[in-house]
Amino acid sequence: MAATNNKQNKRSNALVLTEAVIVSYSAYLANFLIVNLLGVAPSSLLKLAANIGLMTFLVLVFSLSVGLYEAKLRETFRGIIRRIFVSLALTYFVVEVFTATMFEELRMHSYFLPVAAGMVILSLVTFRYFTNRLGLLGLGRTRIVVIGAGERAVIIEKRMRRDVDRLGFELLGFIPIPGDNREDGIRNERLVHLKIDESFRNYVIDNEIDEIIIACDQRRGTLPIDVLFDCRLRGIEITDLLDFMERETGQIVVNLMYPSWVVYSNGFNSQNYLRDLLEYGINAVVATIVLFFTWPFMLLTAIIIWLDDGRKTGTSVFYEQERVGLNGKLFKIVKFRSMRPDAEKDGAKWASKDDNRVTRIGHFIRKYRIDELPQLMNIFRGEMAFIGPRPERPEFVEQLIREIPYYNQRHNVKPGLAGWAQLNYPYGASVEDSMEKLKFDLYYVKHQSLLLDMLILIRTVEVVLFGKGR
């Protein structure tokens, strides 16, 4: 797994460095064209270098914020173009403000910024097109083979159907073995029929396999440990299906978990003591910064909700609801009210996608997460963190604990205003959806760190910009 992660890091680093060169050269070329075609007086080399450096830095930062450097970006090419436009628009705005207000001595000719931005967009779109179409920057994709073609192995076929799901590796095929449930197994993938013996060893060597995924339904008496041991000695990675799915999809496949995997994993409690020690201070600082920028929108939202139906019904613009927090402790969450006052007259109900209980303003504030902003107060109280699994209602938690294995483990950390599950599985309105979101929540609980929190915080910008999630 370490070797595969290293290859993924090399791909991401190569992409960042290549695009940094492209942005820098495009900005330089824009200045060259303006000077030579329009007869504009050339700027000093220092001023030009400062502008190119600033623009390159900002493009990379904003590209990261909209997810363009994700190892597993699941997006159409049209979506990638849209994200490039957003990152350049933000860059344009920041450079314009920066050079017009604070450092006027760095201000270039008025044509420089629009021409440079246009050329950068054209260059990055072209580069991304050929990168996606031709598989550039693959840097030697990992070649893998899967042992097993039954009920467990089919999770790869179901969850990783598209080419974009397999950017980091080349799947040569699935090897059926005795004990596999072939009736519910692989249907549309390539099957490699051979015995896991000396012929398998030769197959691995001849095809330059980098990694073997163990995904058989029955392990006892079906896996030749000596052959796998020999492959491991040759430097070939031997990876369990659960570890493979965790690494490639950013989720833990709860329905395939077994006790020994949990025992030998790093568990679901935080081992990051520095993060735990600084947790409240970091959350309070981030919440203060967010409040500073969002309070006008919060005030406007409160006024609109009151005008919409609050003044008629006398109902508060805020909505308090009991939720389950850290270690199962109950607390009251605060949100902007997005539903009618009588929304739960018949008791607690799952919210649905086109819920007719949602008000006119409610649809908008839910789409852009504005209804969640009052939970900054819960963060200041220490009941929530800025990043963590979304807190659920106790009525639903009781049901989910009974029906979904390991569901209670998500309460090992404080609930959050934004979370890994919300970025990867934005809508949840049933027990089945809760199962899917739990896979991402447990991944977060297992891998929680300051770096992951920063990634989720940056990625949450994408939700606001593109109106995804709830």
Side-chain angles (χ1 to χ4, degrees), residues 5 65 68 70 122 134 140 206 216 241 255 268 301 326 387 393 404 411 419 457 461:
N5 286 335
S65 73
L68 282 171
E70 277 188 77
L122 181 62
L134 303 179
D206 294 341
C216 48
L241 173 65
N255 50 313
F268 295 99
T301 301
L326 179 64
I387 306 297
R393 303 178 64 174
I404 301 178
H411 300 129
L457 187 60
V461 174

PDB file of all heavy atoms in Angstrom, residues 5 65 68 70 122 134 140 206 216 241 255 268 301 326 387 393 404 411 419 457 461:
ATOM      1  N   ASN A   5       0.580   4.295  -2.618  1.00  0.00           N
ATOM      2  CA  ASN A   5       0.366   5.671  -2.164  1.00  0.00           C
ATOM      3  C   ASN A   5       1.466   6.588  -2.655  1.00  0.00           C
ATOM      4  O   ASN A   5       1.226   7.748  -3.016  1.00  0.00           O
ATOM      5  CB  ASN A   5       0.299   5.720  -0.629  1.00  0.00           C
ATOM      6  CG  ASN A   5      -1.007   5.161  -0.111  1.00  0.00           C
ATOM      7  OD1 ASN A   5      -2.008   5.171  -0.816  1.00  0.00           O
ATOM      8  ND2 ASN A   5      -0.986   4.677   1.123  1.00  0.00           N
ATOM      9  N   SER A  65      -8.547  24.233  -3.944  1.00  0.00           N
ATOM     10  CA  SER A  65      -9.788  24.476  -3.197  1.00  0.00           C
ATOM     11  C   SER A  65     -11.020  23.948  -3.906  1.00  0.00           C
ATOM     12  O   SER A  65     -12.019  23.626  -3.264  1.00  0.00           O
ATOM     13  CB  SER A  65      -9.952  25.974  -2.919  1.00  0.00           C
ATOM     14  OG  SER A  65     -10.295  26.680  -4.091  1.00  0.00           O
ATOM     15  N   LEU A  68      -9.285  20.253  -7.957  1.00  0.00           N
ATOM     16  CA  LEU A  68      -8.639  19.865  -9.214  1.00  0.00           C
ATOM     17  C   LEU A  68      -7.409  18.989  -9.021  1.00  0.00           C
ATOM     18  O   LEU A  68      -6.927  18.389  -9.979  1.00  0.00           O
ATOM     19  CB  LEU A  68      -8.251  21.118 -10.010  1.00  0.00           C
ATOM     20  CG  LEU A  68      -9.398  21.794 -10.765  1.00  0.00           C
ATOM     21  CD1 LEU A  68      -8.955  23.136 -11.331  1.00  0.00           C
ATOM     22  CD2 LEU A  68      -9.906  20.895 -11.885  1.00  0.00           C
ATOM     23  N   GLU A  70      -7.292  16.521  -6.644  1.00  0.00           N
ATOM     24  CA  GLU A  70      -7.656  15.281  -5.980  1.00  0.00           C
ATOM     25  C   GLU A  70      -7.134  14.105  -6.794  1.00  0.00           C
ATOM     26  O   GLU A  70      -7.251  14.092  -8.019  1.00  0.00           O
ATOM     27  CB  GLU A  70      -9.170  15.149  -5.877  1.00  0.00           C
ATOM     28  CG  GLU A  70      -9.786  15.865  -4.714  1.00  0.00           C
ATOM     29  CD  GLU A  70     -11.241  15.494  -4.618  1.00  0.00           C
ATOM     30  OE1 GLU A  70     -11.533  14.383  -4.148  1.00  0.00           O
ATOM     31  OE2 GLU A  70     -12.073  16.303  -5.028  1.00  0.00           O
ATOM     32  N   LEU A 122      -7.048  28.697 -21.358  1.00  0.00           N
ATOM     33  CA  LEU A 122      -6.894  27.931 -22.598  1.00  0.00           C
ATOM     34  C   LEU A 122      -5.824  26.849 -22.448  1.00  0.00           C
ATOM     35  O   LEU A 122      -6.018  25.695 -22.863  1.00  0.00           O
ATOM     36  CB  LEU A 122      -6.535  28.878 -23.745  1.00  0.00           C
ATOM     37  CG  LEU A 122      -6.362  28.237 -25.138  1.00  0.00           C
ATOM     38  CD1 LEU A 122      -7.666  27.590 -25.580  1.00  0.00           C
ATOM     39  CD2 LEU A 122      -5.903  29.286 -26.152  1.00  0.00           C
ATOM     40  N   LEU A 134      -5.279  10.910 -23.007  1.00  0.00           N
ATOM     41  CA  LEU A 134      -4.129  10.057 -23.322  1.00  0.00           C
ATOM     42  C   LEU A 134      -3.520   9.391 -22.098  1.00  0.00           C
ATOM     43  O   LEU A 134      -2.570   8.615 -22.219  1.00  0.00           O
ATOM     44  CB  LEU A 134      -3.054  10.880 -24.053  1.00  0.00           C
ATOM     45  CG  LEU A 134      -3.501  11.582 -25.337  1.00  0.00           C
ATOM     46  CD1 LEU A 134      -2.352  12.378 -25.929  1.00  0.00           C
ATOM     47  CD2 LEU A 134      -4.018  10.562 -26.362  1.00  0.00           C
ATOM     48  N   GLY A 140       3.715   5.313 -14.675  1.00  0.00           N
ATOM     49  CA  GLY A 140       3.729   3.876 -14.417  1.00  0.00           C
ATOM     50  C   GLY A 140       2.600   3.453 -13.512  1.00  0.00           C
ATOM     51  O   GLY A 140       2.821   3.169 -12.343  1.00  0.00           O
ATOM     52  N   ASP A 206       5.350 -12.579 -15.348  1.00  0.00           N
ATOM     53  CA  ASP A 206       5.257 -12.269 -16.779  1.00  0.00           C
ATOM     54  C   ASP A 206       4.493 -10.982 -17.044  1.00  0.00           C
ATOM     55  O   ASP A 206       4.788 -10.247 -17.999  1.00  0.00           O
ATOM     56  CB  ASP A 206       4.587 -13.416 -17.530  1.00  0.00           C
ATOM     57  CG  ASP A 206       5.424 -14.689 -17.526  1.00  0.00           C
ATOM     58  OD1 ASP A 206       6.637 -14.581 -17.265  1.00  0.00           O
ATOM     59  OD2 ASP A 206       4.867 -15.782 -17.761  1.00  0.00           O
ATOM     60  N   CYS A 216     -11.363 -12.922  -2.080  1.00  0.00           N
ATOM     61  CA  CYS A 216     -12.104 -14.179  -2.193  1.00  0.00           C
ATOM     62  C   CYS A 216     -13.154 -14.282  -1.092  1.00  0.00           C
ATOM     63  O   CYS A 216     -13.012 -13.693  -0.016  1.00  0.00           O
ATOM     64  CB  CYS A 216     -11.152 -15.369  -2.135  1.00  0.00           C
ATOM     65  SG  CYS A 216      -9.968 -15.283  -0.786  1.00  0.00           S
ATOM     66  N   LEU A 241      -8.970  -6.646   0.419  1.00  0.00           N
ATOM     67  CA  LEU A 241      -9.993  -5.897  -0.306  1.00  0.00           C
ATOM     68  C   LEU A 241     -10.437  -4.657   0.464  1.00  0.00           C
ATOM     69  O   LEU A 241     -10.609  -3.575  -0.120  1.00  0.00           O
ATOM     70  CB  LEU A 241     -11.195  -6.808  -0.584  1.00  0.00           C
ATOM     71  CG  LEU A 241     -12.423  -6.130  -1.196  1.00  0.00           C
ATOM     72  CD1 LEU A 241     -12.108  -5.598  -2.581  1.00  0.00           C
ATOM     73  CD2 LEU A 241     -13.602  -7.097  -1.243  1.00  0.00           C
ATOM     74  N   ASN A 255     -20.248  -3.206   5.282  1.00  0.00           N
ATOM     75  CA  ASN A 255     -20.933  -4.493   5.138  1.00  0.00           C
ATOM     76  C   ASN A 255     -19.984  -5.643   4.837  1.00  0.00           C
ATOM     77  O   ASN A 255     -20.382  -6.804   4.902  1.00  0.00           O
ATOM     78  CB  ASN A 255     -22.014  -4.400   4.047  1.00  0.00           C
ATOM     79  CG  ASN A 255     -21.493  -3.812   2.752  1.00  0.00           C
ATOM     80  OD1 ASN A 255     -20.819  -2.789   2.760  1.00  0.00           O
ATOM     81  ND2 ASN A 255     -21.793  -4.447   1.636  1.00  0.00           N
ATOM     82  N   PHE A 268     -10.581   2.930  15.695  1.00  0.00           N
ATOM     83  CA  PHE A 268     -11.431   4.062  15.365  1.00  0.00           C
ATOM     84  C   PHE A 268     -11.380   5.128  16.458  1.00  0.00           C
ATOM     85  O   PHE A 268     -12.337   5.867  16.656  1.00  0.00           O
ATOM     86  CB  PHE A 268     -12.876   3.596  15.153  1.00  0.00           C
ATOM     87  CG  PHE A 268     -13.025   2.693  13.958  1.00  0.00           C
ATOM     88  CD1 PHE A 268     -13.073   1.315  14.115  1.00  0.00           C
ATOM     89  CD2 PHE A 268     -13.093   3.211  12.685  1.00  0.00           C
ATOM     90  CE1 PHE A 268     -13.197   0.487  13.022  1.00  0.00           C
ATOM     91  CE2 PHE A 268     -13.218   2.389  11.573  1.00  0.00           C
ATOM     92  CZ  PHE A 268     -13.262   1.024  11.752  1.00  0.00           C
ATOM     93  N   THR A 301     -30.505  36.248   5.861  1.00  0.00           N
ATOM     94  CA  THR A 301     -31.300  35.018   5.873  1.00  0.00           C
ATOM     95  C   THR A 301     -32.377  35.066   6.941  1.00  0.00           C
ATOM     96  O   THR A 301     -33.536  34.696   6.703  1.00  0.00           O
ATOM     97  CB  THR A 301     -30.382  33.796   6.105  1.00  0.00           C
ATOM     98  OG1 THR A 301     -29.407  33.731   5.075  1.00  0.00           O
ATOM     99  CG2 THR A 301     -31.191  32.508   6.128  1.00  0.00           C
ATOM    100  N   LEU A 326     -20.644  13.621  20.837  1.00  0.00           N
ATOM    101  CA  LEU A 326     -19.491  12.818  21.238  1.00  0.00           C
ATOM    102  C   LEU A 326     -19.874  11.815  22.322  1.00  0.00           C
ATOM    103  O   LEU A 326     -20.510  12.164  23.310  1.00  0.00           O
ATOM    104  CB  LEU A 326     -18.375  13.743  21.748  1.00  0.00           C
ATOM    105  CG  LEU A 326     -17.095  13.083  22.231  1.00  0.00           C
ATOM    106  CD1 LEU A 326     -16.382  12.357  21.104  1.00  0.00           C
ATOM    107  CD2 LEU A 326     -16.172  14.125  22.866  1.00  0.00           C
ATOM    108  N   ILE A 387     -15.032  20.248  11.719  1.00  0.00           N
ATOM    109  CA  ILE A 387     -14.978  19.088  10.833  1.00  0.00           C
ATOM    110  C   ILE A 387     -15.313  17.836  11.628  1.00  0.00           C
ATOM    111  O   ILE A 387     -14.769  17.610  12.704  1.00  0.00           O
ATOM    112  CB  ILE A 387     -13.589  18.927  10.200  1.00  0.00           C
ATOM    113  CG1 ILE A 387     -13.161  20.216   9.494  1.00  0.00           C
ATOM    114  CG2 ILE A 387     -13.568  17.749   9.239  1.00  0.00           C
ATOM    115  CD1 ILE A 387     -14.034  20.614   8.327  1.00  0.00           C
ATOM    116  N   ARG A 393     -30.206  12.575  14.637  1.00  0.00           N
ATOM    117  CA  ARG A 393     -31.244  12.656  15.668  1.00  0.00           C
ATOM    118  C   ARG A 393     -31.298  11.357  16.464  1.00  0.00           C
ATOM    119  O   ARG A 393     -31.126  10.264  15.903  1.00  0.00           O
ATOM    120  CB  ARG A 393     -32.597  12.945  15.028  1.00  0.00           C
ATOM    121  CG  ARG A 393     -32.589  14.212  14.219  1.00  0.00           C
ATOM    122  CD  ARG A 393     -33.919  14.472  13.549  1.00  0.00           C
ATOM    123  NE  ARG A 393     -34.982  14.688  14.538  1.00  0.00           N
ATOM    124  CZ  ARG A 393     -36.209  15.058  14.203  1.00  0.00           C
ATOM    125  NH1 ARG A 393     -36.528  15.234  12.927  1.00  0.00           N
ATOM    126  NH2 ARG A 393     -37.125  15.240  15.137  1.00  0.00           N
ATOM    127  N   ILE A 404     -27.399  -1.159  11.384  1.00  0.00           N
ATOM    128  CA  ILE A 404     -26.128  -0.979  10.680  1.00  0.00           C
ATOM    129  C   ILE A 404     -24.973  -1.333  11.611  1.00  0.00           C
ATOM    130  O   ILE A 404     -24.816  -0.703  12.672  1.00  0.00           O
ATOM    131  CB  ILE A 404     -25.966   0.470  10.179  1.00  0.00           C
ATOM    132  CG1 ILE A 404     -27.115   0.843   9.233  1.00  0.00           C
ATOM    133  CG2 ILE A 404     -24.636   0.652   9.482  1.00  0.00           C
ATOM    134  CD1 ILE A 404     -27.057   2.267   8.744  1.00  0.00           C
ATOM    135  N   HIS A 411     -19.542   8.023  16.735  1.00  0.00           N
ATOM    136  CA  HIS A 411     -19.661   8.926  17.877  1.00  0.00           C
ATOM    137  C   HIS A 411     -18.371   8.986  18.688  1.00  0.00           C
ATOM    138  O   HIS A 411     -18.350   9.563  19.778  1.00  0.00           O
ATOM    139  CB  HIS A 411     -20.830   8.500  18.772  1.00  0.00           C
ATOM    140  CG  HIS A 411     -22.154   8.517  18.048  1.00  0.00           C
ATOM    141  ND1 HIS A 411     -23.027   7.447  18.060  1.00  0.00           N
ATOM    142  CD2 HIS A 411     -22.726   9.468  17.271  1.00  0.00           C
ATOM    143  CE1 HIS A 411     -24.088   7.746  17.330  1.00  0.00           C
ATOM    144  NE2 HIS A 411     -23.932   8.964  16.844  1.00  0.00           N
ATOM    145  N   GLY A 419     -18.166  17.676   6.825  1.00  0.00           N
ATOM    146  CA  GLY A 419     -17.608  16.343   7.019  1.00  0.00           C
ATOM    147  C   GLY A 419     -17.192  15.674   5.735  1.00  0.00           C
ATOM    148  O   GLY A 419     -17.554  16.099   4.634  1.00  0.00           O
ATOM    149  N   LEU A 457     -11.912  21.120   4.850  1.00  0.00           N
ATOM    150  CA  LEU A 457     -12.270  22.535   4.955  1.00  0.00           C
ATOM    151  C   LEU A 457     -12.127  23.224   3.600  1.00  0.00           C
ATOM    152  O   LEU A 457     -13.003  23.992   3.172  1.00  0.00           O
ATOM    153  CB  LEU A 457     -11.368  23.212   5.992  1.00  0.00           C
ATOM    154  CG  LEU A 457     -11.698  24.661   6.365  1.00  0.00           C
ATOM    155  CD1 LEU A 457     -13.095  24.762   6.950  1.00  0.00           C
ATOM    156  CD2 LEU A 457     -10.674  25.199   7.351  1.00  0.00           C
ATOM    157  N   VAL A 461     -15.383  24.479   0.225  1.00  0.00           N
ATOM    158  CA  VAL A 461     -15.566  25.639  -0.650  1.00  0.00           C
ATOM    159  C   VAL A 461     -16.289  25.216  -1.928  1.00  0.00           C
ATOM    160  O   VAL A 461     -17.138  25.947  -2.452  1.00  0.00           O
ATOM    161  CB  VAL A 461     -14.194  26.266  -1.001  1.00  0.00           C
ATOM    162  CG1 VAL A 461     -14.362  27.379  -2.031  1.00  0.00           C
ATOM    163  CG2 VAL A 461     -13.523  26.787   0.254  1.00  0.00           C
TER     164      VAL A 461
END
